[in-house]
Each structure stands twice: as C-alpha cells, then as structure tokens.
Amino acid sequence: MGFKTSIICITNPFPAIEDRKLLDEPGFNNYIATGLTDFDSAMYPGDESINIGTYNDCLVLADDYILTGELENLSAPEQLCRFEQKLSSLFPGSEILSVACNSTVNYHMYALVVNGRRVRYKRIADGFPVFEFGEKLKEEDEVYAYSDIINGERMFRSPYKDDLVYDMTEDQMMEDFAFGVAKRHLGVMISHSEDEELMETEFRKYLKPVKKGSAGKSALKENIFSRYFKKWLNI
C-alpha cells in the first residue's frame, strides 16, 4: 500500500488555543471551517485543506503539504521555517514534529523542533542522497539497526523477516522511518493494526475559498515535488 502524508504534531499544547488563532498566526486567516473529517482522510486530504485535531495528548495539524512544503526550501537545515517559528511562539516548551512522505518517489522528510531550536532534520527520496542535520532520534536508530554498509553503500534488510538479505536502499524504508518517527508523538504506528483508533479520530477541516480559474491543488503539489518527480521520470 502506498502512502502520502503531511502532518505536524505538537506535544503539550498549552495554553489551549482556538483554531482561529492557530490558523491566523502562520498566515492562514482566510481559511474557513467546512465541517468534520477523520485522520484517515486528513493525513492526505488532496484539497489544500488544513485539518486540526488531537490525539495522544498532542495537537495535530494534517494538511496537503502546505506547511511541510515550507521545509523543502530552507537555506540551512538548522533554521526554522515560518510555521515552526509561529508554533514555537504559541507553544513554548513543546516539541514540534513535522513528518511528510510520498510513496510515489519514496520521499520522506521529518523535522523536530524542541524549545524553539532545530534538533533534527532529514530528507531523502529515490535518486537523491540523504540530507540531514542533528543527531539521529532513537526512533530512527531502531530502523538503522536493520542496516549495514554493503559495497560502500548503506543497505537495509526487512525488519519483518529473519533473513539477512540487505537488498533495500534507505529511501525504500520510507514507512519505517516516517511513521516510526511520527510514533514518537502519536504513540501508535501508522500503517499498522494499532492505528485504527487514530484513523477514526475526528478532525476539523478548514479550506481556503476557491477563486474561479484557480490552478488549485495540482499546482501546489507539483511545486513541492517537481524535482523528485522529474528525476524519477528522467525529465
């Protein structure tokens, strides 16, 4: 099964902040409430919405790569992007974890901010090297434990089999890395049987009013992933 996911998790989201302020601070003041959805739909909404809910005592923002896409354009990985800065100000002392993945190109990215400081950043996709900053998280170490250097390249074996065949590259471990790191805050592993309650959790959906003739969601996604898709398609 393929996955496309874009979420931001915030631990200890206190003081409690209304959705309106949460949207206004990062600059989404024109988004309007359109109803309810669940996490299963919100983790990749496909409609440029921002969806807000709580799970495992964490505040969760699920979007369409609108927020996590900002982390693609950092001039230096230790820098905080705009929404990380805003959320750090709203929730001082919290961990802010952004996780995104797109199985079409084996893309996964995650970024962790603690007390307003970048602690970890990692990004990789099919045909692209690992780009990272900071010490590996313990959740990552659990995945790297299934790797070895083979002919000068880090290769991985399946964590679900007993054989020692190292035949997978790091980008092919997308779900293990992305969802393993997300479990740090969610408490459950997306794509496993333990995620049933999470998938059914209620989220509040907010959408930007659509203007006639707007290019819409396709232009947004192309902008974020264009370089990965172009290399994947040999363009």
Side-chain angles (χ1 to χ4, degrees), residues 106 122 124 126 130 136 140-159 163-174 176-177:
N106 282 347
K122 178 192 172 185
I124 187 174
D126 180 22
V130 176
K136 291 181 175 61
E140 296 176 88
D141 287 335
E142 295 176 7
V143 186
Y144 280 113
Y146 293 93
S147 71
D148 201 354
I149 303 300
I150 309 294
N151 296 325
E153 181 179 5
R154 183 173 295 280
M155 300 294 292
F156 291 75
R157 66 181 179 88
S158 172
D163 59 56
L164 297 179
V165 179
Y166 293 85
D167 58 355
M168 291 183 288
T169 55
E170 190 157 342
D171 62 284
Q172 291 176 308
M173 303 296 288
M174 181 198 82
D176 298 85
F177 276 113

Side-chain angles (χ1 to χ4, degrees), residues 9-14 53-60 181-189 194 197-198 201 203:
C9 302
I10 305 158
T11 60
N12 304 314
F14 302 107
T54 57
Y55 189 79
N56 196 39
D57 296 325
C58 289
L59 177 64
V60 182
V181 169
K183 186 175 181 178
R184 176 187 183 94
H185 285 184
L186 297 176
V188 297
M189 184 84 165
E194 62 189 43
E197 181 182 28
L198 169 63
T201 297
F203 274 64

Side-chain angles (χ1 to χ4, degrees), residues 190-207:
I190 297 172
S191 79
H192 286 57
S193 58
E194 62 189 43
D195 74 356
E196 182 175 352
E197 181 182 28
L198 169 63
M199 291 298 169
E200 296 174 352
T201 297
E202 187 175 271
F203 274 64
R204 303 174 293 282
K205 180 181 286 288
Y206 294 86
L207 273 167

Side-chain angles (χ1 to χ4, degrees), residues 126-137:
D126 180 22
F128 288 81
V130 176
F131 181 69
E132 60 185 335
F133 169 83
E135 297 293 326
K136 291 181 175 61
L137 306 175

